[in-house]
Amino acid sequence: PTGSKGPFALRRAALGIVRLVLENNLAFRLRYFFEYWLTINDIKYLDGASAIGVLGYFVIDRLKVVLREQDISFDYVEASISLNSAMDSNINRIMARVDALQKFLSTDEGGNLLAGYKRAANILKKETEIFGEPTAGTLAEEKNLFERLSKVSAAADKAIADEKFEDAMVQLATLRPAIDAFFDKVTVNSDDKAERLNRLRLLARIRDTMNRVADFSKIEG
């Protein structure tokens, strides 16, 4: 290969890895692939963990290129990749998250839930100390949101563990009515300090529950 930007054809090789994985539906973690490579080549002069991290990020960057070529929104890719460290990424798992996210956000429920997430996240940006778990609160809308979050969080965690990301998104969609009602009827910035803190904790639970499925902070809109 020629050219100063890729004298060892590393980008081409990394693209080859990505395409082989995608086209053959191979499920493995990049970490294991590179650990094996370092071992069989008896490369001991590198810090193994550091080398694997660098190689992982390099391959993930090539994955982004491939997905952009498929007209997949860059922020969907970022939202899915950010949940996987480059050392421990499974390319097929990332793709499954991207596909589920695309389908979810193309629906009215997904779009409106994203708006609710953004609203909660914006309020929380101004807060520096929100510790502890929320309680059911005093108002009906607080109690309903608390109960829905508890059920959805458990169901979404199970779906993620089973790598059923579309099912996890479906669970998130059921939060929309409770979140809409909460913002319509509940004043987060209550004069009562305990009430205000609990409502902020509920917003933090919304953010954290959704972020376990995908990092929605990466999504524009």
Side-chain angles (χ1 to χ4, degrees):
T2 60
S4 60
K5 290 186 178 179
F8 301 108
L10 295 180
R11 289 177 177 83
R12 188 184 308 169
L15 279 170
I17 292 173
V18 170
R19 291 196 167 106
L20 282 169
V21 169
L22 296 179
E23 291 170 10
N24 294 281
N25 196 31
L26 303 176
F28 65 90
R29 294 177 178 176
L30 291 176
R31 182 184 70 193
Y32 299 148
F33 176 77
F34 290 124
E35 283 177 349
Y36 175 72
W37 178 80
L38 288 170
T39 300
I40 64 172
N41 286 282
D42 196 28
I43 297 177
K44 297 177 180 177
Y45 57 87
L46 291 173
D47 178 333
S50 176
I52 292 168
V54 171
L55 291 166
Y57 281 114
F58 191 79
V59 173
I60 292 301
D61 279 343
R62 297 312 100 198
L63 173 63
K64 293 177 185 178
V65 171
V66 171
L67 297 184
R68 281 200 296 270
E69 290 172 352
Q70 298 176 7
D71 293 325
I72 295 175
S73 177
F74 182 78
D75 49 350
Y76 289 7
V77 178
E78 287 294 309
S80 301
I81 288 175
S82 63
L83 293 171
N84 298 268
S85 73
M87 284 180 62
D88 206 30
S89 289
N90 182 316
I91 291 175
N92 272 356
R93 188 177 297 138
I94 291 171
M95 286 302 304
R97 285 185 190 271
V98 169
D99 290 342
L101 198 54
Q102 279 189 302
K103 292 175 183 177
F104 177 63
L105 291 178
S106 67
T107 66
D108 288 340
E109 288 83 1
N112 286 320
L113 191 59
L114 176 62
Y117 171 93
K118 295 287 188 183
R119 186 172 178 181
N122 285 336
I123 293 171
L124 291 170
K125 280 181 183 177
K126 303 171 186 176
E127 307 296 329
T128 56
E129 295 185 6
I130 307 171
F131 304 109
E133 294 295 320
T135 63
T138 56
L139 300 179
E141 292 79 12
E142 284 180 278
K143 293 177 182 177
N144 185 42
L145 179 57
F146 175 81
E147 291 171 0
R148 288 303 311 152
L149 281 168
S150 297
K151 291 178 181 177
V152 167
S153 179
D157 282 348
K158 184 180 185 306
I160 293 167
D162 294 336
E163 297 191 12
K164 296 179 178 179
F165 301 113
E166 287 189 37
D167 290 353
M169 299 287 180
V170 168
Q171 289 297 325
L172 290 186
T174 66
L175 286 173
R176 180 192 164 190
I179 292 175
D180 287 349
F182 178 84
F183 280 124
D184 285 344
K185 302 294 184 181
V186 177
T187 301
V188 175
N189 196 24
S190 171
D191 292 333
D192 184 290
K193 186 176 179 180
E195 279 187 346
R196 179 177 179 276
L197 179 58
N198 191 60
R199 291 166 186 175
L200 289 171
R201 286 171 175 166
L202 278 171
L203 296 185
R205 175 74 72 83
I206 293 171
R207 178 195 61 195
D208 296 344
T209 298
M210 292 183 65
N211 277 349
R212 286 204 290 275
V213 181
D215 187 348
F216 286 85
S217 69
K218 304 289 185 182
I219 299 173
E220 297 180 0

